[in-house]
Amino acid sequence: QRYCQKVLGGQLASVHSAARNQELLSLGRTYTRHSLWIGAVTRCRGWQWGSQWEDSSPWNYANWAPAQPCRLFNTCTTLSTLDGLWRSKVCFELHPFICQY
């Protein structure tokens, strides 16, 4: 997220529809076979777990893989270029990413 903001002047991508998820999946597959960071984070606030977008846009769509998101510790989210599903990952893992502007 910091790289998107500070270097590229954007935000990690937020996803608000199946069509947008498919668009990002297709874009990602053009460049890599690895999972891509998107701008969703899952964290505990006030004893309640929830997911939100880094760009503060409304949470109105999700495409989690089964048993996701992880609710044991704060996580960031990847979009799989294999199946288009989202998975929780520890935030310090290295993955390609998609910025939006």
Side-chain angles (χ1 to χ4, degrees):
Q1 174 67 354
R2 274 184 247 133
Y3 191 88
C4 281
Q5 288 176 327
K6 304 282 185 197
V7 177
L8 302 174
Q11 301 271 345
L12 280 173
S14 57
V15 185
H16 299 284
S17 68
R20 174 75 166 161
N21 198 74
Q22 186 61 44
E23 177 186 349
L24 296 178
L25 174 59
S26 296
L27 178 65
R29 284 179 175 166
T30 302
Y31 296 100
T32 187
R33 292 188 179 174
H34 297 281
S35 294
L36 308 162
W37 287 124
I38 57 174
V41 293
T42 302
R43 55 176 65 107
C44 187
R45 290 200 172 166
W47 304 101
Q48 189 169 11
W49 286 96
S51 299
Q52 63 188 58
W53 294 110
E54 291 273 24
D55 67 1
S56 300
S57 61
W59 188 266
N60 57 2
Y61 174 80
N63 196 39
W64 295 109
Q68 296 288 319
C70 174
R71 290 186 174 99
L72 298 174
F73 49 88
N74 293 349
T75 59
C76 295
T77 305
T78 59
L79 166 67
S80 169
T81 57
L82 297 177
D83 58 18
L85 298 175
W86 305 353
R87 291 176 174 82
S88 296
K89 301 285 183 180
V90 290
C91 297
F92 58 80
E93 287 185 12
L94 295 177
H95 292 276
F97 54 90
I98 298 178
C99 297
Q100 66 185 17
Y101 303 93

